[in-house]
């Protein structure tokens, strides 16, 4: 049994070996960062059909979360996966009380929410309608994230849902040092999936690997980066800023930082 991973680039590494039919892997550079693109075009493989983009980042424990190259790299890839127009509902998935699982809620706190501005007052700056919240975990609310998101989607009718979550990696070198984006949705190990099929609209997932199984199959025994508090703090700040830039391209990174500070 192999060590579990959420990272598609670890299932299908670009190492010269032949790929299964329906899988294409390419590597490119974006704003000085290495980006691995895994495109899966058929069902029945190790990951669901969709596009998976993995950006190799500097160590999040020490990164400048306002670094424009890093922010723009994530924003650029995110913009390609989201619909060009329409409202977006962002959801921070995870448990705020568990540091390694708190990335989603922490990132959701920094998202520039504009739904009330778009609906209640005209603006000279074209703003995309954005709502954001953290659904919590079933152990606290009695509802799964899927159930709460289904209700929010029904009320808000967004063009897409963006989910942010902590991920699991099978490679210690990726811990706190990479970002994965995907238009295939999110597949938590112990909760219902968050996909277009379950929510009724396209679902884009964004996350950072913050945990790794200690041994194959050892779900209850995981390792995290030594400076996990700093990783979550900086990663959440950078991801939220990148999300804001992707959704509000008319605003600069500095303006978005000011509006959410």
């Amino acid at each position: 049994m192999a060590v579990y991973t959420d990272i598609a680039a670890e299932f299908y590494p670009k190492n010269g070996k032949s790929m299964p039919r329906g899988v294409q892997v390419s590597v490119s550079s974006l704003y000085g960062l290495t980006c691995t693109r895994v495109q899966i075009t058929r069902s029945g493989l190790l990951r669901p059909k969709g596009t998976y983009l993995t950006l190799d980042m500097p160590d999040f424990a020490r990164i400048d979360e306002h670094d424009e190259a890093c922010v723009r790299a994530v924003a650029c890839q995110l913009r390609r996966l989201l619909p060009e127009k329409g409202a977006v509902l962002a959801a921070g998935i995870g448990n705020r009380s568990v540091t390694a699982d708190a990335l989603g809620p922490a990132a959701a706190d920094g998202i520039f929410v504009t739904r009330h501005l778009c609906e209640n007052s005209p603006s000279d700056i074209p703003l995309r309608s954005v709502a954001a919240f953290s659904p919590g975990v079933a152990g606290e609310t009695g509802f799964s994230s899927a159930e709460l998101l289904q209700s929010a989607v029904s009320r808000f009718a967004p063009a897409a849902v963006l989910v942010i979550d902590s991920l699991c990696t099978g490679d210690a070198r990726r811990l706190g040092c990479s970002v994965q984006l995907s238009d295939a949705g999110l597949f938590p190990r112990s909760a219902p999936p968050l996909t277009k099929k379950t929510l009724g609209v396209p679902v884009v997932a964004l996350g950072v690997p913050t945990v790794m199984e200690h041994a194959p199959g050892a779900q209850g025994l995981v390792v995290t980066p030594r400076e996990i508090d700093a990783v979550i703090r900086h990663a959440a700040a950078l991801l939220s800023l990148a999300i804001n830039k992707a959704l509000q391209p008319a605003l600069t990174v500095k303006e978005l930082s000011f509006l959410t500070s």
Side-chain angles (χ1 to χ4, degrees), residues 16-260:
K17 295 182 179 180
S18 60
M19 292 290 166
R21 181 176 59 85
V23 177
Q24 295 179 341
V25 181
S26 61
V27 179
S28 60
S29 179
L30 182 66
Y31 292 97
L33 303 175
T34 298
C35 178
T36 302
R37 177 189 178 95
V38 178
Q39 187 75 44
I40 300 177
T41 59
R42 70 180 180 92
S43 303
L45 297 174
L46 295 173
R47 295 280 91 183
K49 289 194 298 184
T51 300
Y52 301 81
L53 303 166
T54 303
L55 286 164
D56 294 334
M57 306 288 288
D59 184 352
F60 274 115
R62 297 170 179 80
I63 200 172
D64 174 7
E65 62 262 31
H66 296 91
D67 183 290
E68 289 216 14
C70 293
V71 170
R72 288 181 180 277
V74 177
C76 176
Q77 298 293 46
L78 181 57
R79 195 177 299 121
R80 292 174 179 173
L81 297 179
L82 287 167
E84 291 186 9
K85 299 180 179 180
V88 172
L89 172 62
I93 308 301
N95 190 338
R96 194 183 294 271
S97 301
V98 179
T99 302
D101 195 34
L103 175 69
D109 289 344
I111 291 177
F112 181 36
V113 174
T114 59
R115 182 190 178 201
H116 59 302
L117 300 175
C118 294
E119 292 184 352
N120 298 324
S121 59
S123 173
D124 294 332
I125 300 175
L127 293 176
R128 191 168 188 173
S129 180
V130 178
F133 81 119
S134 299
V137 292
E140 295 178 343
T141 66
F143 297 95
S144 70
S145 296
E147 289 175 310
L148 293 176
L149 279 170
Q150 286 165 353
S151 178
V153 167
S154 176
R155 180 66 181 87
F156 184 33
V161 171
L162 172 62
V163 291
I164 312 106
D165 197 8
S166 299
L167 303 176
C168 184
T169 179
D171 185 346
R173 293 171 297 181
R174 290 193 185 277
L175 275 175
C177 297
S178 56
V179 173
Q180 177 172 271
L181 308 91
S182 174
D183 61 5
L186 186 67
F187 297 81
R189 297 183 73 180
S190 57
L194 304 175
T195 65
K196 183 176 181 179
K197 182 177 180 179
T198 59
L199 299 183
V201 296
V203 178
V204 175
L206 173 63
V208 171
T210 60
V211 296
M212 177 181 176
E213 288 184 354
H214 184 265
Q219 295 185 35
L221 184 59
V222 298
V223 295
T224 66
R226 179 175 298 176
E227 297 171 295
I228 186 61
D229 293 275
V231 168
I232 295 297
R233 184 170 64 254
H234 292 302
L238 190 144
L239 291 188
S240 61
L241 189 53
I243 291 167
N244 293 336
K245 181 58 181 173
L247 296 175
Q248 313 297 347
L251 298 174
T252 67
V253 171
K254 289 184 179 180
E255 289 170 336
L256 290 164
S257 298
F258 174 76
L259 289 169
T260 55

